[in-house]
Every structure is written in structure tokens, then in C-alpha cells.
Amino acid sequence: MPGEGSMMSANTSLKNNRRNRTSKLEKFVNTTTNDSIEFVDPNTATPEELAAIRQRMQEENKVIQKKKITLTFSILVVILITLAVLNCYL
């Protein structure tokens, strides 16, 4: 049959690509390990380490939430001021 050779080479290429790929865990470890943060495997973490991680994440989420509230409030104030100025001149 014509075209079988091209499919075989495509299958071989896919198999080779799959072999050359790094695992997801390996990529995760490589991207999160730096000088200040040490990778903690959640399967072997102690309860104290998990509590510290949970605490750090809660603090980060509070900071993000405060930024969102501040931004929303600022946008609302700008909109109200703009409407007030436009109302005076119209």
C-alpha cells in the first residue's frame, strides 16, 4: 500500500519523542528548586512542613486578595469621579 512508510516513520518519531521527554515531576522539581525555596515532596512531608506550607500559602493569598480589593476600589473611585466630572459639564 502506498503511504505506509510515512506512517511508520511518524510512529517511530512519536515513540522517540516520548522517550526523550522528561517526567512531569522532574520538570516540577527543576523549575521550583532555587536558592531560597527547597522542594518538599508532599508524599513525604512532615505535618510541620505541611503546616508551614499552608501558612505561607494563606499569607500569599491574603496579600493577593488585598491587592484585588484595593484595585477594585480604586477603579470604582475613578469611575465615580469621572461620572461626577462629566455630569457637571453636561
Side-chain angles (χ1 to χ4, degrees):
M1 280 189 171
E4 261 186 56
S6 64
M7 280 307 290
M8 293 294 284
S9 64
N11 287 338
T12 304
S13 176
L14 288 173
K15 286 179 185 176
N16 289 337
N17 288 342
R18 196 173 300 129
R19 273 190 226 119
N20 291 335
R21 261 189 264 152
T22 57
S23 72
K24 289 183 181 180
L25 178 63
E26 197 173 303
K27 284 183 185 177
F28 182 73
V29 170
N30 290 338
T31 58
T32 58
T33 304
N34 58 27
D35 295 336
S36 62
I37 299 174
E38 181 180 324
F39 175 74
V40 177
D41 186 12
N43 296 330
T44 59
T46 64
E48 293 82 15
E49 290 172 332
L50 291 175
I53 292 169
R54 187 177 301 114
Q55 180 69 28
R56 187 178 70 236
M57 289 182 69
Q58 286 176 349
E59 290 171 0
E60 289 172 1
N61 288 338
K62 284 180 184 179
V63 169
I64 291 170
Q65 188 176 14
K66 284 181 183 179
K67 286 181 181 179
K68 285 181 181 179
I69 290 171
T70 304
L71 181 65
T72 304
F73 183 73
S74 300
I75 290 173
L76 183 63
V77 167
V78 168
I79 290 172
L80 290 174
I81 291 172
T82 305
L83 288 174
V85 168
L86 287 176
N87 194 25
C88 289
Y89 289 111
L90 292 178

